[in-house]
Amino acid sequence: MTSATDRTALFHALHAQGPLVLPNAWDVASALIVEAVGAQAVATTSAGVAWSLGAPDGDALDRDLAIGLVARIAEAVEVPVTADIESGFGEDAAGVAETAKAVEEAGASGVNIEDGRGAALRDVQEQKERLQAAREGAPTLYINARVDVFLRGIGEPQERLQHTLDRARVYLEAGASGIFVPGVTDLETVEVLARNINAPLNVLAGPGAPAVRELGTAGAARISVGTALASAAYATAKKAAEELLAKGTYDSTGEGLGYAELNALFR
């Protein structure tokens, strides 16, 4: 395995070769699967991680549990790991700094930090301080600063683009490495964002979104899918359990990965 320093340098570089496609994982097994099928890096989904550890998404997960999982994933895979740490698992900027440092020490190469709080957004200056603290706590970490204006439908529709660009500028001044704008996949808006943000742009894709090639052509440097893989896996589990209990049959499990294939990933 290459050193953590080398993996972090590689992760930064991957954003310049784009688009970097990240099928989000939520535990060690899903991370190993993502790596095995060819992902250049492993990104966690905060919701998927929280669900797998018995908590709802939305800053409810215990920080030590979250960092412990990041450490296990980073130890298990060879590729860089970036962790979604929600809003930083800290009440204040100092707490966010502690989280970023702990994530870096756990072997991760990057983090996502969101600016949402409940149904609203944090004050932009407060978020700037939180991002500055994260940068001070983890000087080499790739910090992907999330702007939730579009995702949460903040303000009038015609004002959301400029609001996003204004926040992105402040977050980059605070030390962010890249900007994540979930809630936007229309190619015209992606192109405007990419052209006006002086850093790699991350978008969240899923069913109905343009294909990776189209988003990359529009300027997206990084494309992730959030909870999509975890949700699909849990849907399969629900369907199979319902079939077993209601019909006493097992057809829904017929396309599962084989025991030997899965077990071999852990060797």
Side-chain angles (χ1 to χ4, degrees):
M1 180 179 288
T2 56
S3 71
T5 299
D6 289 341
R7 289 196 300 275
T8 297
L10 171 61
F11 188 63
H12 279 267
L14 287 171
H15 290 80
Q17 302 172 17
L20 173 61
V21 182
L22 298 172
N24 299 77
W26 63 97
D27 60 9
V28 173
S30 58
L32 287 167
I33 289 169
V34 166
E35 179 186 40
V37 298
Q40 294 177 291
V42 169
T44 67
T45 159
S46 64
V49 166
W51 298 335
S52 75
L53 294 172
D57 190 29
D59 295 310
L61 181 62
D62 177 80
R63 176 167 64 184
D64 290 343
L65 284 177
I67 293 170
L69 180 56
V70 172
R72 290 195 294 275
I73 290 174
E75 184 177 5
V77 300
E78 300 282 343
V79 297
V81 173
T82 182
D84 190 322
I85 58 171
E86 303 190 32
S87 63
F89 297 123
E91 289 295 325
D92 54 18
V96 177
E98 292 172 2
T99 301
K101 181 180 180 180
V103 169
E104 186 174 55
E105 290 174 346
S109 299
V111 291
N112 284 5
I113 302 177
E114 63 192 60
D115 63 354
R117 179 168 53 186
L121 300 184
R122 291 185 185 277
D123 174 79
V124 67
Q125 291 304 316
E126 177 189 4
Q127 186 65 7
K128 180 178 182 179
E129 291 173 4
R130 293 169 73 87
L131 291 170
Q132 286 174 327
R135 173 54 68 213
E136 292 168 4
T140 65
L141 209 61
Y142 188 101
I143 297 177
N144 201 33
R146 198 172 101 175
V147 183
D148 279 359
V149 172
F150 282 98
L151 183 67
R152 298 172 186 269
I154 302 297
E156 296 299 322
Q158 67 271 19
E159 299 172 350
R160 289 172 190 161
L161 178 59
Q162 189 59 52
H163 188 179
T164 297
L165 293 173
D166 290 343
R167 281 185 170 259
R169 175 181 51 77
V170 173
Y171 298 170
L172 292 175
E173 291 173 355
S177 311
I179 299 295
F180 181 20
V181 185
V184 172
T185 55
D186 71 276
L187 298 176
E188 181 178 351
T189 304
V190 171
E191 184 176 356
V192 174
L193 288 169
R195 187 170 64 247
N196 288 279
I197 293 174
N198 190 29
L201 172 67
N202 181 186
V203 298
L204 182 69
V212 165
R213 174 186 285 184
E214 295 175 284
L215 290 169
T217 299
R222 172 169 164 175
I223 300 165
S224 49
V225 295
T227 63
L229 271 67
S231 296
Y234 291 136
T236 298
K238 179 184 178 184
K239 180 180 179 181
E242 287 175 340
E243 180 192 353
L244 176 62
L245 295 172
K247 300 180 180 179
T249 55
Y250 326 97
D251 294 342
S252 298
T253 64
E255 295 184 2
L257 292 177
Y259 171 87
E261 180 181 355
L262 275 171
N263 207 44
L265 292 173
F266 294 87
R267 296 175 185 159

